[in-house]
Amino acid sequence: MKPSAEVLEARRERVARRWELTDTVVLLRAGEPANWPGTDQFFAFLPHPDVSYLSAVGSPGTTLAYDAVADTWELFGPRFTPERLVWEQPPVEVGLPLAELDGWLAERGDRTVIELGAGAELAAAPPAEPVVSGDSAEAPAPVSDVGPNPEAVAAPETESESDDHATGDQPTDETPAARVLRLSAGLAIERMVKDAAEVDDIRTAAAASAAGFGWVYEHAAPGMTEREIQIGMEAQFYAAGAPRVAYDSIVASGPHGAYLHYVFAADDPLRPATRTVEPGDLLLVDAGAQYGGYASDVTRTMVVGAEPTDEQEFLWKLVLSAQQQTIDMCRPGVQWREVHLAAAHILGAGLVEMDLMRGDAAELVTSGAVALFFPHGLGHLLGLSVHDASGFPPGHERSSDPHLRYLRTDRGLEPGMVTTVEPGVYFIDALLCDAARREKFAESVVWERVDELRGFGGIRIEDDVLVTDGEPEVLTAAIPKPIRIG
């Protein structure tokens, strides 16, 4: 549901209190659409999530302004000229006309103006892709990681965690970029814990996702292409009321399931290939609808058109068990890295039982051997961004541990957080055929057994979980988890 004026006012008040500014003007811009070359249209536009959070509107150009002296917020929205209205429908009319923003700023011309949102000028984010050569047991970036995350800044702690978080007007030695990061981090920490209106939108997105997955369960069959399945599923997202998908859908059959981010047309945007599903294939579908700007993020893996093999059934049940046990751990005060490591231990023990690895599960996790088969984080915060804001506490430094290096969240869980829980097991040639890794883990991995399963693909099961004061609530629980379809 769209947040009420009272809810938006409460969000703005919390952000202003956290900032503790006294003489500053802050502008948060939704952004502008990018032109589609060779046309008179634009690429699909999404407003900056900070603006969505504080205004619940998202037309291009929308700008929210904060005056710290008066402690007031003003919203400015676009108005179209008659000439433009010949070609395009008007945006929803909100606030004051955007044309009046310059005058509003001129009245405050002696004040420092800070640009946040799409107007912020931040240093380039570090690369998200790890080095996968040499004897490292690391692997590609985490599941659903779509590249450098501009929101992945270390946010100040909540007042319950610390009383010394950085707020206030610019310190004398603070650079403009550091000031932008500091205020953006303050806003991010407020977005971390979801209010009732936000959770309601995630529930609506999850319901639309359920419609799409239901179509897959009923219609996907051998002989269909991955693309046909994707189109049929996404059509049901839209029919159920979702205005868009939350991210590019992953529909990966057979060996394609070993690519964590297998998406249509990534091979060749002009003449993309798609695979036809064969009887007995694993079909991994990682997809989600979006509603009100809020994402859902769901993964299911099924055997299509045949009874599961012993290996498929064992690994599927192993991944499901790891997910069920770690969902139950999603409670206030629990450190996310401990939840992730618990999943790694469960998967490692199962791989030993299946004679794919040998040794003690804890030692296999510590050495990085389990990361050959579980090469991503267990999950990430979810909200207005698929990888939502404030996954890391202040001063966070990435661990060199092979099972912690690419976590998208590394902090204690709090009531109101929404996180994905998505363990998986994969047989990835880029890792398992690497000579350095095979030598390093010669005693830990039963390579002859692993080689028999090349081309197996991968199994991942993912749900969206709301942390509460008590039992965790699975927001996507209505989406079944069949081991076989078709």
Side-chain angles (χ1 to χ4, degrees), residues 137-188:
E138 302 299 317
V143 170
S144 299
D145 176 8
V146 292
N149 185 353
E151 296 184 289
V153 294
E157 298 175 1
T158 61
E159 293 181 6
S160 61
E161 296 170 322
S162 173
D163 293 327
D164 60 357
H165 54 276
T167 51
D169 288 296
Q170 180 182 7
T172 56
D173 59 347
E174 186 178 43
T175 66
R179 177 177 53 188
V180 168
L181 285 170
R182 176 170 55 85
L183 298 183
S184 294
L187 206 164

Side-chain angles (χ1 to χ4, degrees), residues 7 31 40 54 89 92 106 168 170 188 191 202 213 231 234 237 249 293 296 314 338-339 380 385 406 425 459 469 485:
V7 169
D40 56 1
L54 293 172
Q89 70 268 41
V92 174
Q170 180 182 7
R191 283 178 47 201
I202 297 174
F213 276 86
I231 292 170
E234 292 180 357
F237 290 173
S249 299
S296 61
F314 182 92
E338 297 305 320
V339 185
H380 49 83
S385 301
Y406 292 104
V425 171
I459 296 172
D469 289 319
I485 60 174

Side-chain angles (χ1 to χ4, degrees), residues 204-339:
T204 302
S209 296
F213 276 86
W215 184 93
V216 173
Y217 299 157
E218 183 176 352
H219 295 282
M224 296 181 69
T225 66
E226 296 163 331
R227 182 62 167 170
E228 288 173 322
I229 295 170
Q230 177 188 349
I231 292 170
M233 173 185 65
E234 292 180 357
Q236 295 306 307
F237 290 173
Y238 303 137
R244 64 180 74 228
V245 295
Y247 52 93
D248 286 341
S249 299
I250 297 169
V251 179
S253 65
H256 288 172
Y259 297 102
L260 303 185
H261 284 171
Y262 178 83
V263 295
F264 180 74
D267 58 332
D268 182 351
L270 300 181
R271 295 175 177 82
T274 184
R275 185 177 182 276
T276 299
V277 178
E278 299 178 3
D281 273 350
L282 287 169
L283 178 66
L284 188 156
V285 180
D286 183 338
Q290 184 191 86
Y291 186 81
Y294 287 83
S296 61
D297 186 353
V298 183
T299 307
R300 298 289 186 262
T301 308
M302 302 76 61
V303 179
V304 182
E307 290 300 312
T309 65
D310 291 344
E311 292 85 359
Q312 288 172 334
E313 183 174 5
F314 182 92
L315 290 172
W316 188 92
K317 290 181 177 178
L318 175 63
V319 172
L320 179 63
S321 176
Q323 196 213 27
Q324 291 170 335
Q325 292 182 63
T326 51
I327 285 176
D328 190 61
M329 294 177 66
C330 293
R331 299 168 186 267
V334 176
Q335 292 294 319
W336 179 251
R337 64 167 52 197
E338 297 305 320
V339 185

Side-chain angles (χ1 to χ4, degrees), residues 1 44 117 132 142 171 176 272 357 367 394 400-401 408 446:
M1 62 180 178
V132 294
M357 306 186 78
S367 70
S400 60
D401 185 293
R408 277 293 182 181
V446 185

Side-chain angles (χ1 to χ4, degrees), residues 86-100:
V86 172
W87 295 92
E88 302 174 49
Q89 70 268 41
V92 174
E93 188 171 304
V94 296
L96 299 174
L98 186 59
E100 295 182 13

Side-chain angles (χ1 to χ4, degrees), residues 23-34:
D23 191 45
T24 304
V25 171
V26 180
L27 297 182
L28 295 105
R29 299 184 190 269
E32 298 291 345

Side-chain angles (χ1 to χ4, degrees), residues 10-83:
R11 292 178 187 177
R12 294 173 186 178
E13 287 178 354
R14 289 195 302 270
V15 170
R17 283 200 306 270
R18 185 168 292 279
W19 282 345
E20 295 182 357
L21 300 172
T22 59
D23 191 45
T24 304
V25 171
V26 180
L27 297 182
L28 295 105
R29 299 184 190 269
E32 298 291 345
N35 181 255
W36 189 345
T39 76
D40 56 1
Q41 295 185 332
F42 299 92
F43 288 111
F45 174 79
L46 273 177
H48 193 282
D50 287 348
V51 177
S52 299
Y53 176 70
L54 293 172
S55 70
V57 295
S59 298
T62 299
T63 301
L64 186 62
Y66 174 64
D67 181 341
V69 171
D71 191 25
T72 58
W73 298 79
E74 196 70 69
L75 184 64
F76 296 87
R79 307 288 193 273
F80 283 2
T81 63
E83 291 78 10

